[in-house]
Amino acid sequence: MELTWYGLSCFRITERKYATIVTDPYGSGLGLPDLKLRGDVVTVSHEARGHSNLEAVSGIAHVLDGPGEYEIGGVFVTGISTVDEATKRRNVLYVFDYNGVTIAHLGDLEKVPTQKQIEALGLINVLLVPVGGGNSLNATQAAELVSILEPNIVVPMHYQLPGLKLDLNEVDRFLKEMGVSEVKEETSLKLTTTSFPEETETVLLTPKA
């Protein structure tokens, strides 16, 4: 399985003989390279130009933009709805289960989930978590959630990048909260069922242009 990051909350997850999933494709005009992706399934955490640009993805067979349980192309997908009580902003968390390998994409989550929502997420191997603040989790909140979920691998997302026209924090704040002094940087994350570390490991992905 290979997981590639394109910036903000947009990832492409590919695995041979399984559906290819694209998460939260962002729109143009944000200071990042325009997207031109191909995928079978697109998940949308919420309607915003940084998260719901379906025109950037070709080959779409299914669009998931709400809570529920789905089985598409061999992948089991669980969507969990969250609503911030203060702002009333809606967001959907997604868990992708590829034959026992679980990846959680938290979208634009604003606060640490409730105990019920955390239980619904279940055991997570790879956690894709916003860390840059703004309308989503800041570094301190993200680190708290990582300590609760205890994933094998955590991949920070939705933080400031060169040229990005959004007011987000740098990823360094999150790394400091996690106590990470030396971080592994990869162009993509390649996963197998036997490749998971016993203790939580933070991996920085370089956005693919």
Side-chain angles (χ1 to χ4, degrees), residues 10-11 21-28 34-66 94:
C10 182
F11 292 84
I21 294 176
V22 175
T23 68
D24 280 10
Y26 59 79
S28 60
D34 287 346
L35 292 174
K36 190 176 181 181
L37 304 177
R38 186 172 183 84
D40 305 304
V41 180
V42 174
T43 62
V44 175
S45 63
H46 67 294
E47 290 294 332
R49 66 175 183 148
H51 300 265
S52 59
N53 182 23
L54 300 181
E55 294 180 358
V57 186
S58 62
I60 301 173
H62 301 276
V63 176
L64 305 182
D65 58 4
Y94 293 98

Side-chain angles (χ1 to χ4, degrees), residues 1-207:
M1 179 188 302
E2 185 172 15
L3 192 150
T4 306
W5 185 47
Y6 293 86
L8 290 180
S9 305
C10 182
F11 292 84
R12 188 170 183 262
I13 308 169
T14 59
E15 170 72 330
R16 191 166 172 260
K17 296 183 179 180
Y18 287 81
T20 294
I21 294 176
V22 175
T23 68
D24 280 10
Y26 59 79
S28 60
L30 295 174
L32 298 178
D34 287 346
L35 292 174
K36 190 176 181 181
L37 304 177
R38 186 172 183 84
D40 305 304
V41 180
V42 174
T43 62
V44 175
S45 63
H46 67 294
E47 290 294 332
R49 66 175 183 148
H51 300 265
S52 59
N53 182 23
L54 300 181
E55 294 180 358
V57 186
S58 62
I60 301 173
H62 301 276
V63 176
L64 305 182
D65 58 4
E69 296 182 352
Y70 316 88
E71 181 184 358
I72 304 170
V75 185
F76 289 91
V77 183
T78 302
I80 303 163
S81 180
T82 65
V83 181
D84 186 271
E85 292 301 323
T87 64
K88 303 302 180 184
R89 291 179 71 247
R90 296 182 177 275
N91 179 68
V92 182
L93 320 177
Y94 293 98
V95 179
F96 311 111
D97 187 333
Y98 284 79
N99 195 27
V101 176
T102 54
I103 301 171
H105 184 280
L106 302 187
D108 224 14
L109 183 66
E110 291 188 76
K111 293 183 179 178
V112 174
T114 64
Q115 184 61 36
K116 183 177 181 180
Q117 291 163 341
I118 287 172
E119 290 173 358
L121 286 170
L123 180 66
I124 300 301
N125 297 125
V126 181
L127 182 67
L128 311 178
V129 58
V131 303
N135 290 326
S136 60
L137 297 179
N138 60 33
T140 302
Q141 293 169 316
E144 178 186 350
L145 183 53
V146 170
S147 69
I148 294 171
L149 293 175
E150 297 184 326
N152 300 100
I153 297 172
V154 56
V155 179
M157 66 177 185
H158 208 267
Y159 56 83
Q160 193 62 46
L161 293 171
L164 180 62
K165 298 176 182 178
L166 294 176
D167 186 18
L168 298 176
N169 297 324
E170 303 281 350
V171 72
D172 292 351
R173 294 192 185 186
F174 173 69
L175 299 179
K176 184 177 181 180
E177 288 285 347
M178 290 291 292
V180 175
S181 55
E182 294 184 11
V183 65
K184 183 185 295 185
E185 292 192 52
E186 304 284 357
T187 54
S188 66
L189 184 60
K190 295 179 173 64
L191 303 169
T192 67
T193 54
T194 59
S195 65
F196 295 117
E198 292 185 7
E199 296 187 4
T200 298
E201 181 178 290
T202 301
V203 176
L204 277 187
L205 292 183
T206 303

